[in-house]
Amino acid sequence: GSQIIVQEELSFVVQVLSRQGTFLPKPHQELLAEVEIPFMAVDGIGNRHIVAEGESQISGKYLVEQVDVDGMQVRRLYFANNPFVIQSEAVLRDQGRVDKSCSAFDYHKTMAAGILALVDSDVLTHGLLVGLGGGCFVNLIGHLLNDLELSVVELDPAILKIAEEHFDLDLESNRLDIRVGDGLEIMPLTHDAVSGCPTTFAKESMAFVAIDVDSKDQSAGMSCPPESFVEIEYLSRLAE
């Protein structure tokens, strides 16, 4: 909606939170009718409309919205259990198609830069990504490296449909191997792992492992990844 609608929705909340302040001498009921709360939006809130919403058994309720920011169309994915974090974001171009050459997140740009540093290496043929989300990073790295084969482990099968329908991810690409499983259970075949398990990979085939997993725990102080994905034991196993 417009900024006016957003201000109207937030004014009551702001006044409730501010009642303890000395700058509000009158009862809250009187202020509600008399006082306008000033708001400042740094980049504006843009015009939004909901593209899709639904619920996953694993991730909970989700929302896909389209936002007009400074004349640019952007599509975003949110989860209701962490609504202040944009899970995925893609820039839209002609006829509403996703621009796969763009990345909205510095995190994705940094990961892509690290992978591109291996371009002159003979080992850069196959990589592993933990976490799919809207598929924005898969789209980006596929655009930059046309010959790269990428395996992806995603916990939530509902995410695959979201990525395909709303973020233009090509699930049928012969360069993409998406497996539904828990990224924390990834193991190389050299361990006591069962061949054919969705989270088991031949370690010699992977030039890199990238982690792009969102966190549902708002108390952790990290929007992503969950703390379990940065523990030494887990990272050491991935590095083997």
Side-chain angles (χ1 to χ4, degrees):
S2 68
Q3 184 165 326
I4 294 176
I5 294 175
V6 173
Q7 287 182 207
E8 291 175 350
E9 292 178 350
L10 292 179
S11 287
F12 177 82
V13 177
V14 172
Q15 292 184 55
V16 170
L17 292 174
S18 303
R19 273 189 293 175
Q20 302 300 321
T22 57
F23 61 93
L24 293 176
K26 296 183 179 181
H28 179 268
Q29 290 79 6
E30 296 178 25
L31 284 168
L32 193 59
E34 298 179 10
V35 176
E36 285 190 7
I37 302 296
F39 288 85
M40 180 179 70
V42 176
D43 294 319
I45 64 168
N47 294 315
R48 293 172 161 80
H49 74 268
I50 297 174
V51 175
E53 47 187 336
E55 186 169 1
S56 158
Q57 291 184 349
I58 294 177
S59 301
K61 293 182 179 180
Y62 67 84
L63 171 73
V64 179
E65 70 172 12
Q66 202 155 302
V67 187
D68 183 4
V69 180
D70 296 330
M72 181 174 62
Q73 290 288 312
V74 175
R75 186 166 294 166
R76 293 170 174 166
L77 169 64
Y78 293 92
F79 290 117
N81 52 19
N82 201 355
F84 303 112
V85 173
I86 301 172
Q87 205 284 338
S88 297
E89 179 172 298
V91 175
L92 303 182
R93 296 304 186 195
D94 297 337
Q95 299 179 341
R97 302 293 294 178
V98 170
D99 186 345
K100 299 183 180 183
S101 67
C102 288
S103 174
F105 297 149
D106 289 340
Y107 181 56
H108 284 171
K109 295 175 184 177
T110 302
M111 286 199 301
I115 294 170
L116 290 173
L118 300 172
V119 163
D120 293 332
S121 170
D122 293 335
V123 301
L124 189 56
T125 58
H126 195 175
L128 172 62
L129 175 65
V130 184
L132 176 66
C136 297
F137 182 73
V138 175
N139 283 336
L140 175 66
I141 204 66
H143 172 80
L144 296 173
L145 298 170
N146 295 327
D147 297 328
L148 179 70
E149 294 183 6
L150 191 63
S151 294
V152 183
V153 175
E154 169 57 49
L155 180 64
D156 189 350
I159 295 297
L160 278 66
K161 183 179 179 181
I162 295 173
E164 181 180 38
E165 292 185 355
H166 303 295
F167 293 89
D168 292 350
L169 181 66
D170 182 8
L171 297 180
E172 303 302 320
S173 172
N174 56 14
R175 296 186 292 112
L176 187 59
D177 173 25
I178 300 180
R179 308 183 188 186
V180 176
D182 189 344
L184 290 173
E185 297 178 356
I186 290 175
M187 295 183 69
L189 283 173
T190 52
H191 278 245
D192 296 329
V194 179
S195 179
C197 174
T199 54
T200 301
F201 298 90
K203 67 175 185 177
E204 61 273 8
S205 68
M206 299 298 173
F208 64 86
V209 179
I211 299 175
D212 188 17
V213 182
D214 73 306
S215 176
K216 304 296 190 295
D217 183 4
Q218 298 184 49
S219 66
M222 293 193 303
S223 60
C224 63
E227 291 184 59
S228 51
F229 283 87
V230 292
E231 291 180 353
I232 297 299
E233 180 183 354
Y234 175 71
L235 294 176
S236 298
R237 189 168 74 245
L238 289 183
E240 291 181 349

